[in-house]
Amino acid sequence: MGEWSELDIRCMRLALEQAEKGCGKVSPNPPVGCVLASGAEIVASGWHDHLGGLHAEQAAIADAEERGLATHGSVAYVTLEPCNHHGRTPPCTEALLWAGVREVVLAAADPNPTVRGGGAEFLREAGITVRSGLLEEEARRQMAPFMHWCEQRRPLVTLKAAIDADGVVDAENEAAGRFTSEASLRRVHELRRESDAVLVGVNTVIRDDPELTVRLVPLAAGRQPLRIVLDHTLRTPPASRLVSDGQATLILHSDGDEQRAAALASDSVEVLHMPPLQPTEPPGVELDQLLDLLGDRGLQRLLIEGGPDVWSRFLGAGLVDEAFIIRSAASIGPGPAAGIDAAVLTSAGLQCASNDSPMDDVIEHWLR
Ligand code: AOF
Ligand code: ZN
């Protein structure tokens, strides 16, 4: 279209790179990056680093100040439309005005229904040139959980499955039954870090007693994800790690008795009864209701870790937005079948977007 110059594109790419530094640390805010350019010179950059911390624009302005460089007359490249509200920080629109920015180039509009919006309009009315849509797709992808939550009020659902050469599944017990590589395992911990909640079925809890925490990669300013157990009749063992380790767990049931609920509930464990609206088949918590509940609680990304029953329920209901399938060349012998192959993923509405081989496993990334 000729609308964007090479400098524009270079600056926005850099802003996207800056934004990446906030990934997994700022939820429920989106990761955002900002670059300030004067003529052909990039004078400053910044990113939204942690919840309650400076927004990207303000971080970039602070960066320029620290370097003793003028922001007056510069162009700001931001991956998201500047906010126009007093939230945890004052409005970025005003910060840009104060800094004397002459033009704002943004990648994606901010669809957040809970903020005032109108950032671009406010800037235009103040006489600043605003151009939008540069590398929008990349920016929306980087902020996918935030965008998804803003537009649907539900978390983006990511499924992770590790499968051996014979289609047998990961024993989640990482010490005893691990067959995927160290690199794949780290990728799983990264996924957990980028997720607000991690969900398993009760059979996985009984069989593997998993922790489902982020341990192999630094958590930095991020939080441990909420652990969620789908437990139709409350069979979760009170001595399991998810119940006894003091980290937050949500156990959802549709037909458990009160005594069991009382034995599991504590300061860190919430037991919630969610009767199905209509009887579900197989019986259990209704998944649409579950996603609405998590969306209402502001959770933007849900990682489905297993096992096969849970995968098949989410895939069968067409509720998976993205899947990471880790395929190992090793055979772990007899075990539960994953029940996930290309045909299943395709009929769940997903397409294989990429194949990545960190060391020996293949990690397939499937997207809607
Ligand atoms: C920006 N720049 O770097 C980010 C923005 O609660 P607050 O004050 O942190 O505001 C959060 C909202 O602001 C968030 O939900 C999103 O709509 C927008 N995020 N805006 O101008 C940023 N992270
Ligand atoms: Zn802001």
Side-chain angles (χ1 to χ4, degrees):
M1 284 195 306
E3 187 185 350
W4 307 111
S5 69
E6 262 173 42
L7 177 69
D8 287 338
I9 294 168
R10 187 153 56 88
C11 289
M12 192 60 89
R13 283 221 182 286
L14 187 58
L16 286 165
E17 276 168 32
Q18 296 294 310
E20 193 66 29
K21 299 179 189 170
C23 281
K25 290 161 73 181
V26 294
S27 169
N29 280 357
V32 179
C34 176
V35 161
L36 296 174
S38 253
E41 194 195 347
I42 291 171
V43 293
S45 61
W47 69 95
H48 184 41
D49 183 72
H50 56 274
L51 210 55
L54 295 181
H55 280 188
E57 300 87 325
Q58 299 171 26
I61 293 166
D63 182 41
E65 274 166 9
E66 249 168 55
R67 295 159 185 259
L69 295 171
T71 52
H72 198 86
S74 63
V75 180
Y77 294 86
V78 204
T79 60
L80 183 72
E81 178 181 6
C83 71
N84 193 27
H85 73 292
H86 288 270
R88 295 180 181 93
T89 67
C92 289
T93 47
E94 283 172 21
L96 292 166
L97 275 187
W98 281 107
V101 164
R102 117 185 116 76
E103 181 176 344
V104 174
V105 179
L106 55 100
D110 186 353
N112 190 351
T114 65
V115 302
R116 188 170 66 198
E121 209 177 290
F122 176 91
L123 292 169
R124 279 197 187 103
E125 275 165 15
I128 292 178
T129 307
V130 179
R131 293 187 293 146
S132 64
L134 173 57
L135 301 183
E136 180 174 359
E137 232 184 276
E138 284 87 337
R140 287 185 60 90
R141 210 176 307 133
Q142 191 177 50
M143 295 180 250
F146 171 78
M147 290 287 169
H148 185 95
W149 181 84
C150 285
E151 286 159 8
Q152 310 204 12
R153 282 306 187 123
R154 280 184 169 188
L156 183 89
V157 176
T158 302
L159 180 151
K160 160 251 148 185
I163 301 174
D164 89 340
D166 309 309
V168 171
V169 300
D170 188 1
E172 298 276 345
N173 184 334
E174 283 153 11
R178 208 182 86 223
F179 58 91
T180 52
S181 68
E182 204 51 49
S184 302
L185 200 60
R186 260 201 310 281
R187 183 73 192 96
V188 170
H189 281 243
E190 277 168 18
L191 275 173
R192 285 181 186 164
R193 182 174 61 187
E194 290 160 14
S195 301
D196 300 310
V198 172
L199 180 145
V200 292
V202 66
N203 290 331
T204 296
V205 180
I206 293 170
R207 202 186 61 175
D208 304 326
D209 194 18
E211 273 178 71
L212 304 177
T213 50
V214 178
R215 300 184 301 284
L216 300 181
V217 294
L219 199 51
R223 290 161 300 174
Q224 288 289 352
L226 171 69
R227 289 99 42 105
I228 301 177
V229 186
L230 286 189
D231 185 3
H232 170 44
T233 55
L234 287 182
R235 291 183 296 132
T236 297
S240 61
R241 291 198 176 102
L242 293 186
V243 174
S244 58
D245 71 3
Q247 308 251 27
T249 299
L250 170 61
I251 301 176
L252 294 164
H253 70 107
S254 49
D255 204 13
D257 69 44
E258 274 171 33
Q259 254 176 338
R260 280 176 191 268
L264 294 170
S266 69
D267 286 348
S268 60
V269 180
E270 178 183 0
V271 181
L272 197 64
H273 181 228
M274 276 182 60
L277 297 172
Q278 296 135 3
T280 57
E281 192 52 58
V285 170
E286 217 249 328
L287 301 184
D288 276 296
Q289 247 198 104
L290 164 69
L291 294 183
D292 285 339
L293 170 92
L294 300 182
D296 286 346
R297 291 188 176 196
L299 302 184
Q300 295 180 352
R301 194 183 199 186
L302 173 66
L303 182 65
I304 311 288
E305 290 222 20
D309 295 344
V310 174
W311 292 329
S312 115
R313 283 192 67 198
F314 274 89
L315 286 167
L319 292 173
V320 176
D321 298 300
E322 177 188 43
F324 288 91
I325 311 298
I326 306 169
R327 296 193 184 279
S328 163
S331 287
I332 51 172
I340 296 182
D341 57 20
V344 167
L345 293 164
T346 306
S347 62
L350 301 168
Q351 288 179 339
C352 191
S354 67
N355 268 321
D356 191 21
S357 308
M359 320 295 265
D360 36 3
D361 302 328
V362 172
I363 302 186
E364 297 170 4
H365 187 199
W366 292 70
L367 287 170
R368 185 158 289 289

